[in-house]
Amino acid sequence: QKEVEQNSGPLSVPEGAIASLNCTYSDRGSQSFFWYRQYSGKSPELIMSIYSNGDKEDGRFTAQLNKASQYVSLLIRDSQPSDSATYLCAVKRYNAGNNRKLIWGLGTSLAVNP
Amino acid sequence: EAGVAQSPRYKIIEKRQSVAFWCNPISGHATLYWYQQILGQGPKLLIQFQNNGVVDDSQLPKDRFSAERLKGVDSTLKIQPAKLEDSAVYLCASTPGGPDTQYFGPGTRLTVL
């Protein structure tokens, strides 16, 4: 089992619809979760972080965290063609020596069709 | 504020040749990461520096890859000799301290023929 799992997609939604992206993680002790967006040929950029159970909203984006079920999701409301990208889920892990690093999923490709 | 700089942007080499990549992080960022991203996959951490010290190189293929961060600022990643499976984008990222908000450079796309 991978530490961070995402459906690779592609997920295709019509313009104006809600896109739902899901991520599960294996380390029950994980506390911090991130969604990065990566446009084709570009580098990842952080769009959402979430640390507590429940929902966190930022504009058209909502991150949802359920630690008991070990999943985190990203909802994009009123999807636009400019949202077409790969969305990477990342989970912060503590290593020996209390070093922290992000464990990355493979990413979900989203296509928003006009 | 200037972002993370990387060079070169593209590199094509033949297998068994050597190659080096350079990264200059955002000014004042203590932590620097080198990632390998193969097409269709998420970033894989190769090495993490805190100032000029290595804190995690557990996934760095040390028989062929090396990295340094002299003076705790810019960094170089070297591959010698390169293999076909090293074809990927090499991303450099930096943060002021912890790994939460990582600022990525544009990456170097390496093709090994």
Side-chain angles (χ1 to χ4, degrees):
Chain A
Q1 181 189 13
K2 290 192 172 76
E3 287 195 62
V4 178
E5 295 207 55
Q6 299 180 251
N7 289 327
S8 60
L11 174 66
S12 183
V13 300
E15 185 175 355
I18 296 175
S20 178
L21 304 155
N22 299 314
C23 171
T24 59
Y25 58 95
S26 61
D27 183 357
R28 187 169 288 277
S30 299
Q31 298 292 323
S32 307
F33 308 87
F34 309 89
W35 284 99
Y36 281 74
R37 178 177 61 200
Q38 187 172 26
Y39 290 114
S40 180
K42 301 295 185 182
S43 297
E45 57 177 338
L46 179 68
I47 54 171
M48 290 287 287
S49 58
I50 187 165
Y51 304 93
S52 304
N53 276 330
D55 295 359
K56 178 182 177 183
E57 189 174 316
D58 184 0
R60 296 186 295 111
F61 297 94
T62 299
Q64 299 176 318
L65 175 60
N66 184 323
K67 291 183 180 178
S69 300
Q70 294 177 242
Y71 83 77
V72 57
S73 62
L74 179 70
L75 300 179
I76 307 175
R77 289 183 301 281
D78 188 24
S79 295
Q80 301 298 309
S82 58
D83 295 326
S84 298
T86 295
Y87 290 81
L88 296 161
C89 174
V91 177
K92 185 162 71 176
R93 170 151 71 88
Y94 287 80
N95 287 343
N98 208 33
N99 179 46
R100 299 155 292 166
K101 69 179 183 182
L102 295 186
I103 306 300
W104 298 81
L106 296 182
T108 298
S109 175
L110 172 66
V112 180
N113 305 307
Chain B
E1 180 183 68
V4 177
Q6 287 188 250
S7 67
R9 293 294 311 277
Y10 305 91
K11 190 72 177 180
I12 300 174
I13 61 172
E14 296 190 349
K15 60 183 179 183
R16 292 187 290 273
Q17 286 187 324
S18 63
V19 64
F21 312 128
W22 174 82
C23 172
N24 192 12
I26 293 173
S27 177
H29 281 195
T31 309
L32 184 149
Y33 308 83
W34 281 104
Y35 290 96
Q36 180 193 60
Q37 187 174 28
I38 293 172
L39 188 64
Q41 298 185 18
K44 171 188 170 184
L45 179 66
L46 294 175
I47 190 166
Q48 176 185 346
F49 291 96
Q50 182 80 19
N51 296 309
N52 61 348
V54 175
V55 295
D56 188 341
D57 62 357
S58 58
Q59 297 193 91
L60 186 74
K62 299 181 185 63
D63 57 335
R64 298 185 301 107
F65 286 65
S66 64
E68 60 182 9
R69 190 184 184 197
L70 299 176
K71 301 180 182 178
V73 182
D74 55 354
S75 176
T76 57
L77 176 71
K78 297 179 182 177
I79 308 175
Q80 182 180 10
K83 293 185 175 181
L84 297 177
E85 58 261 36
D86 298 332
S87 294
V89 175
Y90 291 83
L91 295 166
C92 178
S94 70
T95 70
D100 296 22
T101 304
Q102 299 196 10
Y103 296 88
F104 285 84
T108 297
R109 183 176 298 275
L110 174 66
T111 302
V112 182
L113 303 176

